[in-house]
Amino acid sequence: MIIKNTLITAILTLIAASVSSSALAQDSLKTVVPILNYTADLVVNTHGGIKTGTVYQGYGEAGVEINPWKNGQFNFSIASTHGGRPTATLVGDWQEMDNKEASNHIFALNAWYRHTIGKFTLQAGLQDANDSYATCDASDPLQNTAFGGIAAFMSGGNVPTMPTNGLGLNVQWQVHDAVMWQTAVFDGGVIGLDDGNRFNLKHKLSSSKGYLLVTEAQLAPAALVIKAGTYYHTGLENYGFYASCEKSFQLQGQRAVNAFCIGGYTPHATDAATASITGGFSMTSIFSKSGADALTAGLATAHLDGHKWETAIELNYRYLLGDHFYVSPDMQWILNPMGEPEAKNALVGTLRLGFEL
């Protein structure tokens, strides 16, 4: 109850500070920016897994970003997932080979407010914890969910993330140009879309379900980003640690190589990953001189509680088609799906077509 009241008070304080700021800032710029994107995945499992076959997986997002005054921003969006669910029906891997996969739903995605005061930025409301924590820009093109977040953190911390974002309050402090520290409290008991929260509108903070407390430090000198974080889930009474490193190497022209390495560990996870290791690299401007294409390769392995290590090896190519469209063929070799020794290794190909406004 104390955390719930604190969160509500913080949101009201943010709004009050924003109104005051708008009255004082004469040079504020009012803008409304639409949010619209769609991803179409044609997934083919050629070998192993649950069964071979082809399915379509679609994901769409629509919303608006509002900047009503200086240093303030609202974000509201809804999303839709639909299609054949390749992980659930074809592959059966625990890390989920398609990061846009969820059951067929239309649901609330984001409803948050962000405000910057000097070197501090506060964000409160319905949000994706993985947008702020355990992120890795270099691995973004890869389509396996394991490359979008650290498995030991995402599962062991019961992190609210797409498709079930949750209520939270995040505070960032830009200590120095190259040093940032952030800490947050999130709802640790978000209900799944298939478990009675069909539109992701049922959010009730509860100490019995618990809260996710997380903190992270970032060091970002030139061409290098190092992150380290720790978390504690009050309901699960579980904690863990994670760290990541990204390094950029500028080559000739727009061509560059970005390498990344990520690791996470949680000692008391149940039905989750106790440890995870991810690494890889990406190279831009393989065939174009303008940086319109990128080749990315990665390996992600996770040790599942009571099972073997599940490993995903992925190779992805992405090419921009103008300002708003892109095409991205992808191949994944998944070893020990669900960490089961009797499971057949899967070879999966995906053709992704995307639109981003």
Side-chain angles (χ1 to χ4, degrees):
M1 182 62 69
I2 294 176
I3 295 180
K4 178 179 180 181
N5 292 336
T6 301
L7 183 58
I8 294 173
T9 302
I11 294 173
L12 294 176
T13 302
L14 277 173
I15 295 174
S18 303
V19 173
S20 176
S21 175
S22 65
L24 295 175
Q26 300 298 322
D27 58 344
S28 62
L29 178 64
K30 297 183 179 181
T31 59
V32 177
V33 181
I35 299 170
L36 185 64
N37 62 70
Y38 188 82
T39 301
D41 291 347
L42 183 64
V43 183
V44 181
N45 185 26
T46 64
H47 178 272
I50 299 173
K51 64 179 181 180
T52 59
T54 303
V55 298
Y56 173 83
Q57 178 66 43
Y59 171 83
E61 181 181 346
V64 62
E65 175 187 300
I66 305 173
N67 304 278
W69 41 71
K70 185 179 180 180
N71 299 332
Q73 180 184 101
F74 288 97
N75 186 294
F76 303 98
S77 63
I78 60 173
S80 170
T81 52
H82 46 276
R85 303 193 65 190
T87 292
T89 60
L90 298 181
V91 183
D93 61 316
W94 182 84
Q95 296 181 96
E96 296 191 353
M97 54 78 52
D98 193 313
N99 55 14
K100 300 300 184 183
E101 179 174 344
S103 50
N104 296 328
H105 287 283
I106 297 176
F107 51 91
L109 188 66
N110 291 313
W112 50 257
Y113 176 73
R114 178 189 296 152
H115 195 82
T116 299
I117 305 173
K119 294 185 176 182
F120 292 89
T121 299
L122 295 85
Q123 180 170 308
L126 187 68
Q127 57 190 296
D128 187 335
N130 190 213
D131 282 347
S132 301
Y133 291 87
T135 61
C136 179
D137 293 340
S139 64
D140 274 351
L142 296 173
Q143 298 176 13
N144 193 298
T145 303
F147 296 104
I150 301 170
F153 167 60
M154 300 298 291
S155 61
N158 197 19
V159 177
T161 187
M162 199 292 293
T164 48
N165 292 354
L167 295 175
L169 172 64
N170 187 40
V171 180
Q172 294 182 345
W173 177 25
Q174 194 66 45
V175 183
H176 185 269
D177 290 344
V179 181
M180 192 271 280
W181 172 82
Q182 60 180 344
T183 190
V185 54
F186 296 103
D187 182 3
V190 178
I191 303 171
L193 299 179
D194 295 319
D195 300 320
N197 187 20
R198 181 179 178 183
F199 301 108
N200 198 28
L201 294 175
K202 293 184 178 180
H203 295 277
K204 183 179 180 180
L205 300 175
S206 169
S207 58
S208 61
K209 292 183 178 180
Y211 302 94
L212 172 65
L213 310 177
V214 57
T215 189
E216 178 183 285
Q218 299 183 15
L219 177 64
L224 177 67
V225 179
I226 299 173
K227 301 178 183 179
T230 184
Y231 68 88
Y232 176 71
H233 193 288
T234 63
L236 300 175
E237 295 185 347
N238 187 37
Y239 64 93
F241 313 91
Y242 64 85
S244 67
C245 179
E246 302 175 58
K247 174 65 176 176
S248 298
F249 303 90
Q250 191 67 41
L251 306 180
Q252 187 177 13
Q254 293 293 325
R255 185 166 295 173
V257 174
N258 302 296
F260 63 91
C261 182
I262 308 166
Y265 174 69
T266 177
H268 301 302
T270 302
D271 297 326
T274 55
S276 60
I277 303 172
T278 304
F281 70 92
S282 66
M283 177 179 286
T284 57
S285 293
I286 301 296
F287 300 110
S288 70
K289 295 182 180 180
S290 62
D293 69 327
L295 179 69
T296 308
L299 182 149
T301 185
H303 183 265
L304 309 182
D305 181 41
H307 298 77
K308 297 179 64 177
W309 289 79
E310 178 189 274
T311 302
I313 302 172
E314 182 174 351
L315 183 65
N316 177 278
Y317 180 73
R318 176 169 168 152
Y319 192 90
L320 300 178
L321 303 171
D323 295 331
H324 303 294
F325 294 90
Y326 66 89
V327 58
S328 181
D330 184 277
M331 289 296 298
Q332 295 185 43
W333 179 237
I334 298 172
L335 310 175
N336 300 323
M338 284 299 296
E340 298 291 345
E342 66 275 10
K344 296 181 179 179
N345 299 337
L347 181 62
V348 193
T350 303
L351 179 62
R352 171 170 290 183
L353 301 175
F355 168 80
E356 296 176 348
L357 186 63

